[in-house]
Amino acid sequence: MEANLDIITRGLNDKQKEAVLTKNGPLIIIAGAGSGKTKVITQRIAHLLATGVNPWNILALTFTNKAAKELKSRIARIVGEEIADKVWAGTFHSIFARILRIEAEEIGFTSSFTIFDADDQLSAITNVMNILLIAQQTTPPQQVRSKISAAKNQMIDVDTFKQNAKSTLDKQTGLIFETYEKYLKDNNAMDFDDLLLNTIKLLEKSQAVLSKYQERFRYILVDEYQDTNRAQYRVVNLLAKAHQNICVVGDDAQSIYKWRGADIRNILDFERDYPYTKIVKLEQNYRSTKNILKAADSVIKNNKNQLPKDLWTDNIEGEKVEVIACADERDEANKIISLIKSSIVGDLSYKDFAVLYRTNAQALALENALRTANIPYVVVGGLSFFKRKEIKDITAYFRLLINKKDNEALQRVINEPPRGIGNTTMQYVRDYAIKKEISLYEAFSEAEQITGLQQRAVTAIKKFTEFVETYSAFENVEDVADYLSQFIEATGLTEMYRELGTDDANDRWNNIQQVISDISIYFKTNTNANLVEYIQQIALMSDYDEKNTSSDQITIMTLHTAKGLEYNTVFLAGLEHGLFPMVRDKDDDIEEERRLMYVGITRAEKKLFISYANKRMRFGQTELTSPSKFLYEIDADVLDWAEGKRLLEEKERRQNNLLNGKFNYSQGRSSDNYSQIPKSYGTAAPVTAEQKTTVFPFKVGDRVKHKVFGEGIISGLKGVGDMRQATVNFYSVGKKDFMLKFAGLVKVG
DNA sequence: GACCTGCTGATTTTT
DNA sequence: TCAGCAGGTC
């Protein structure tokens, strides 16, 4: 035992040790970025096991599949596969789905209930709206969906929602909400939020069930606690109440999911909920250089709402943060690539680099450039494999096999491939099913009695139900994987794509083949696996996780996806006002954007680059952009000298402009630097800043002076107005390109 | 019922 | 820009 403990705490600092060795009672670990959080969690579980806690009495909840997988494999490395397998470690959604399958009958579902993802949810809501005759134009289903989801996250039930509804939209949403809930039950389905809500209902309804799980989960651990919502908070509270052995780990500075219902109160109120809470702060950062940490700190300190903490590191000072100014997104991508190429020295290789961005749309330009440059890369996240149309079709077929009440699945596949059961037919069936309060599939069996149906349609329906029935007897099948692959073939989907033969169809066909092989692997590696579990796994999985972690490639992904990861060299791309921080409307939370920036900066170990473009394609149009305010928040000391200084000047200029109440670009000169479009062009429309055309008084051959680079000669000019750029050949440093509006060049001689 | 076409709105972020 | 869909035609 002694030896064991020694191994468990070896290499940990005092704070980490304290967190690991605190076995009983409520514990909150405030874990700064790069402070060895995952290690502490893993060692803590290892310690529980080493001191006699049964693995099945431990519940470890994570936020993402990736985190869960990582945790499981780390535990396995210490205590072995067999014991690790018995620990309940997984995402909130997967763990509670597992419990709900076991206890489904208690709350009026069957154990083969379907999980609706966001897409299913949306189409279910659209269906409900059609039934209620609510127009999509005045009541956008998308908005209804997010309102319902937000309500569920906050545990606001239908009745309360309806009572609080003031606006027309909210009142409509209330009606839809009510019918949607009934619709879910009729479909034997739960949406993502229900996996939590129904668990809460289950635990609150039956003391026996509650006690059962309280006894099972004597030790509870929650990772990324700052990102939990009220429903998650509630379910954890219920489970932990009896034994109070609850440990939550989080960092308020990295809370980036408020938009999804994450409630910072959960972390702030923890001490109030558990009066004898022990607090451990992990403040030593092992990941980043001093400069990177300083950059992160200088940004996050602009946030008012945060817990006091002092992140520090023993690591070297390191290189400064380099800012890269780019003309547009293509230039940005190319500059990033050439910087990566020139950075690969010593034992660095592609896998040590990551490019992070705010929106998935930014991946496109990067991907194109990387492909052209022949650099191996992987996009994490983005358009999920399981959200592709053909994959959703396949899984909808599976869903129908295990849950005939799943109307969403049925409607999705009924005419895919076309089998002569179109919208007119389905409308008759829907009307009939609603009237008789039965599922669509049940209505199919009474097809002859449905008024309006053509004989041809009735025949097609019979053929379809026969097909489904043939494959519904999967219970006693020996080789499920083989069985399913036959089933997929029998749906006619693969045949359809084969015959189409277009590039797009070939891709889709390939994707389906990938599912078939995935199924085969799944059933080979999970001996007790069944179809229900497999489908649930898909429903809760955003993508195939970490397919090629071993191969040497650059990783590109969104900032949200990057949370918890670290790379030697990190590029933060698209640091432009409006894009990052993203500002859409007044409700947007700048502090959350800043936390996201903080997360981004702290992903870097040794070197951080930050880039912005002066113009960028958005919505198919080129927009002029300006550097993000976050750039100006970074301590100028840690920014690369030339760029840092330039940014500082720019900032001063802006402040002066604000003071003077005007916006002039070249210092020392004012309105004579630009002329306006002649007023006669428009009638009464006011001239906005964007419409002004700036004319800079430079020509090729002019001698100019730059604050940083000194004197030089303009060797080229291009672009018009604000986009006008100059190439200047400096006596000191050679050729440099500038946007004139930022460069602050002054004519000399 | 299948196919074509022109329009619209989407770009946060995820279980 | 471009995918997805409503609405119209065959």
Side-chain angles (χ1 to χ4, degrees):
Chain A
M1 180 59 86
E2 282 300 306
N4 253 344
L5 284 186
D6 189 49
I7 292 168
I8 285 168
T9 58
R10 190 176 295 162
L12 299 179
N13 66 34
D14 288 348
K15 290 288 174 190
Q16 291 175 327
K17 257 182 219 168
E18 192 182 355
V20 166
L21 298 178
T22 301
K23 183 177 174 184
N24 294 310
L27 169 70
I28 179 164
I29 303 172
I30 303 294
S35 62
K37 182 191 72 169
T38 313
K39 192 168 166 189
V40 166
I41 295 175
T42 321
Q43 301 305 93
R44 193 168 184 281
I45 291 173
H47 176 247
L48 291 177
L49 293 168
T51 53
V53 176
N54 294 317
W56 55 87
N57 288 142
I58 300 174
L59 172 67
L61 295 168
T62 66
F63 199 61
T64 64
N65 290 306
K66 202 156 72 183
K69 201 172 161 186
E70 169 80 7
L71 182 60
K72 280 185 212 163
S73 75
R74 285 212 197 193
I75 299 171
R77 245 177 280 157
I78 304 175
V79 301
E81 198 90 28
E82 202 178 322
I83 295 174
D85 263 356
K86 295 196 176 90
V87 175
W88 285 64
T91 63
F92 275 92
H93 292 85
S94 72
I95 294 280
F96 295 131
R98 195 163 148 194
I99 292 175
L100 285 170
R101 295 237 184 262
I102 299 169
E103 314 289 346
E105 264 91 35
E106 286 274 343
I107 50 165
F109 287 84
T110 78
S111 67
S112 57
F113 65 83
T114 301
I115 298 171
F116 278 4
D117 68 14
D119 287 346
D120 303 321
Q121 203 183 9
L122 189 64
S123 79
I125 284 166
T126 315
N127 275 340
V128 167
M129 287 176 62
N130 287 337
I131 296 170
L132 294 174
L133 300 173
I134 294 174
Q136 297 187 24
Q137 284 72 25
T138 49
T139 314
Q142 191 68 254
Q143 278 187 43
V144 174
R145 197 202 67 79
S146 71
K147 275 176 186 290
I148 291 177
S149 182
K152 286 186 170 191
N153 279 329
Q154 294 168 67
M155 295 190 297
I156 297 169
D157 62 26
V158 178
D159 292 338
T160 318
F161 188 93
K162 284 173 85 176
Q163 275 162 27
N164 295 341
K166 296 274 185 309
S167 68
T168 322
L169 180 60
D170 280 354
K171 283 178 185 159
Q172 296 279 54
T173 303
L175 290 174
I176 299 163
F177 194 176
E178 189 170 31
T179 315
Y180 171 68
E181 289 297 284
K182 193 177 165 300
Y183 185 87
L184 283 171
K185 199 138 199 185
D186 291 344
N187 281 263
N188 192 28
M190 301 185 193
D191 62 28
F192 280 148
D193 306 316
D194 287 336
L195 294 176
L196 299 166
L197 279 185
N198 285 333
T199 307
I200 294 169
K201 269 185 209 155
L202 172 76
L203 298 176
E204 285 179 339
K205 180 170 171 263
S206 155
Q207 182 59 45
V209 177
L210 177 62
S211 300
K212 174 174 155 192
Y213 288 101
Q214 283 178 337
E215 281 315 300
R216 176 164 302 163
F217 303 131
R218 290 178 191 204
Y219 290 86
I220 300 175
L221 192 143
V222 184
D223 189 17
E224 306 281 12
Y225 193 66
Q226 77 281 353
D227 285 330
T228 52
N229 62 35
R230 282 318 251 186
Q232 286 162 328
Y233 165 88
R234 176 78 185 135
V235 75
V236 168
N237 257 2
L238 279 167
L239 290 171
K241 211 154 64 183
H243 292 281
Q244 307 242 334
N245 294 320
I246 168 139
C247 166
V248 301
V249 190
D251 179 8
D252 58 301
Q254 295 186 64
S255 163
I256 55 175
Y257 286 104
K258 193 176 153 196
W259 56 274
R260 231 182 73 189
D263 196 325
I264 200 80
R265 282 180 299 170
N266 293 353
I267 201 164
L268 302 177
D269 291 353
F270 190 82
E271 287 175 77
R272 201 202 56 200
D273 297 325
Y274 302 95
Y276 300 101
T277 293
K278 183 171 188 173
I279 303 172
V280 178
K281 286 186 184 176
L282 305 179
E283 295 175 306
Q284 181 174 4
N285 172 293
Y286 293 94
R287 180 186 296 151
S288 310
T289 64
K290 284 198 175 69
N291 277 335
I292 288 168
L293 223 50
K294 199 169 174 188
D297 185 61
S298 57
V299 170
I300 198 71
K301 75 175 181 220
N302 290 287
N303 272 5
K304 298 211 165 49
N305 298 317
Q306 54 173 331
L307 295 171
K309 77 176 87 64
D310 187 21
L311 205 58
W312 59 279
T313 185
D314 261 346
N315 292 343
I316 56 162
E317 180 125 342
E319 288 176 50
K320 294 200 169 176
V321 176
E322 220 164 299
V323 179
I324 318 158
C326 312
D328 55 27
E329 69 273 11
R330 285 176 59 187
D331 184 42
E332 181 181 47
N334 288 329
K335 285 199 164 109
I336 288 173
I337 288 173
S338 62
L339 280 165
I340 290 175
K341 279 182 174 165
S342 60
S343 301
I344 294 186
V345 284
D347 49 8
L348 282 189
S349 61
Y350 288 135
K351 66 176 185 313
D352 298 309
F353 296 82
V355 186
L356 313 181
Y357 38 78
R358 183 64 179 78
T359 66
N360 273 315
Q362 290 167 259
L364 190 67
L366 281 163
E367 282 195 76
N368 287 338
L370 284 162
R371 224 176 294 122
T372 313
N374 251 329
I375 292 177
Y377 70 94
V378 57
V379 191
V380 184
L383 192 100
S384 161
F385 183 78
F386 292 102
K387 291 209 172 71
R388 285 164 214 247
K389 185 187 172 302
E390 65 278 15
I391 306 308
K392 292 213 66 165
D393 288 344
I394 294 287
T395 49
Y397 273 110
F398 289 172
R399 275 161 54 181
L400 197 58
L401 280 194
I402 59 170
N403 180 13
K404 301 279 189 305
K405 285 184 181 169
D406 192 338
N407 292 337
E408 287 305 313
L410 184 135
Q411 290 180 90
R412 183 170 185 108
V413 302
I414 190 63
N415 218 21
E416 193 73 29
R419 34 174 87 83
I421 309 172
N423 216 1
T424 321
T425 303
M426 284 310 290
Q427 199 49 56
Y428 287 122
V429 179
R430 271 192 292 268
D431 290 345
Y432 182 85
I434 291 166
K435 208 171 71 205
K436 292 203 69 180
E437 295 191 337
I438 54 177
S439 72
L440 294 175
Y441 193 80
E442 283 168 310
F444 274 2
S445 65
E446 303 168 15
E448 284 97 344
Q449 289 144 52
I450 300 177
T451 40
L453 281 197
Q454 302 287 322
Q455 186 50 47
R456 211 170 50 183
V458 174
T459 316
I461 287 173
K462 287 276 167 254
K463 204 175 157 205
F464 179 77
T465 47
E466 271 166 33
F467 155 69
V468 175
E469 288 305 321
T470 312
Y471 282 92
S472 289
F474 55 84
E475 301 282 343
N476 299 315
V477 170
E478 266 186 33
D479 189 341
V480 185
D482 182 56
Y483 187 78
L484 288 180
S485 111
Q486 281 177 41
F487 172 64
I488 289 172
E489 191 61 39
T491 62
L493 271 183
T494 42
E495 198 185 345
M496 178 178 83
Y497 288 128
R498 238 188 339 256
E499 278 175 6
L500 269 170
T502 59
D503 283 357
D504 182 64
N506 283 337
D507 280 352
R508 291 181 196 273
W509 188 85
N510 274 323
N511 288 335
I512 293 175
Q513 298 310 308
Q514 205 181 327
V515 172
I516 293 174
S517 82
D518 182 62
I519 292 170
S520 156
I521 293 166
Y522 184 83
F523 283 93
K524 252 175 216 148
T525 46
N526 299 281
T527 36
N528 301 323
N530 61 54
L531 189 56
V532 177
E533 248 174 52
Y534 177 74
I535 292 168
Q536 179 198 303
Q537 183 233 202
I538 288 177
L540 294 178
M541 190 148 73
S542 52
D543 214 334
Y544 283 126
D545 298 317
E546 306 166 62
K547 259 279 148 76
N548 292 310
T549 38
S550 54
S551 55
D552 189 27
Q553 47 194 350
I554 291 168
T555 309
I556 71 174
M557 65 192 139
T558 65
L559 286 147
H560 282 87
T561 315
K563 191 166 76 157
L565 304 176
E566 57 190 15
Y567 294 87
N568 179 288
T569 302
V570 168
F571 291 82
L572 301 182
L575 262 278
E576 291 138 39
H577 181 72
L579 181 63
F580 190 27
M582 176 157 291
V583 270
R584 284 185 312 163
D585 51 58
K586 58 211 172 311
D587 291 340
D588 285 327
D589 185 349
I590 185 70
E591 296 217 340
E592 175 136 318
E593 293 288 317
R594 197 176 275 116
R595 290 192 292 268
L596 196 53
M597 179 71 182
Y598 178 81
V599 167
I601 295 173
T602 52
R603 297 311 95 198
E605 293 165 359
K606 296 276 159 47
K607 178 78 189 181
L608 177 67
F609 292 95
I610 302 178
S611 62
Y612 68 90
N614 284 310
K615 59 177 200 269
R616 184 178 294 274
M617 260 302 223
R618 265 185 114 187
F619 303 109
Q621 275 186 321
T622 302
E623 285 178 10
L624 295 184
T625 52
S626 54
S628 165
K629 67 188 282 186
F630 292 157
L631 278 173
Y632 303 111
E633 290 178 359
I634 298 176
D635 196 325
D637 289 354
V638 303
L639 284 182
D640 172 78
W641 187 77
E643 283 297 336
K645 190 156 181 194
R646 205 191 56 68
L647 279 167
L648 217 62
E649 287 164 13
E650 170 71 15
K651 188 179 178 181
E652 270 168 25
R653 243 195 316 282
R654 284 169 167 237
Q655 277 166 352
N656 287 337
N657 289 333
L658 274 178
L659 288 174
N660 299 338
K662 59 188 174 193
F663 207 87
N664 51 343
Y665 294 114
S666 275
Q667 80 277 33
R669 292 155 196 266
S670 55
S671 54
D672 61 342
N673 261 352
Y674 61 79
S675 63
Q676 286 176 203
I677 295 171
K679 286 207 173 70
S680 57
Y681 271 33
T683 43
V687 179
T688 66
E690 285 74 29
Q691 288 168 313
K692 283 177 186 168
T693 301
T694 314
V695 177
F696 294 95
F698 298 112
K699 58 184 192 296
V700 173
D702 279 352
R703 261 179 76 198
V704 290
K705 192 172 177 183
H706 184 270
K707 273 209 163 176
V708 176
F709 300 113
E711 284 191 18
I713 292 185
I714 294 186
S715 63
L717 285 164
K718 61 180 173 183
V720 292
D722 279 349
M723 301 312 297
R724 191 109 172 119
Q725 297 169 51
T727 307
V728 183
N729 205 349
F730 288 102
Y731 303 135
S732 55
V733 293
K735 277 190 184 173
K736 294 264 176 200
D737 288 338
F738 294 103
M739 294 293 293
L740 280 173
K741 85 175 196 185
F742 294 123
L745 294 179
V746 182
K747 260 201 239 187
V748 290

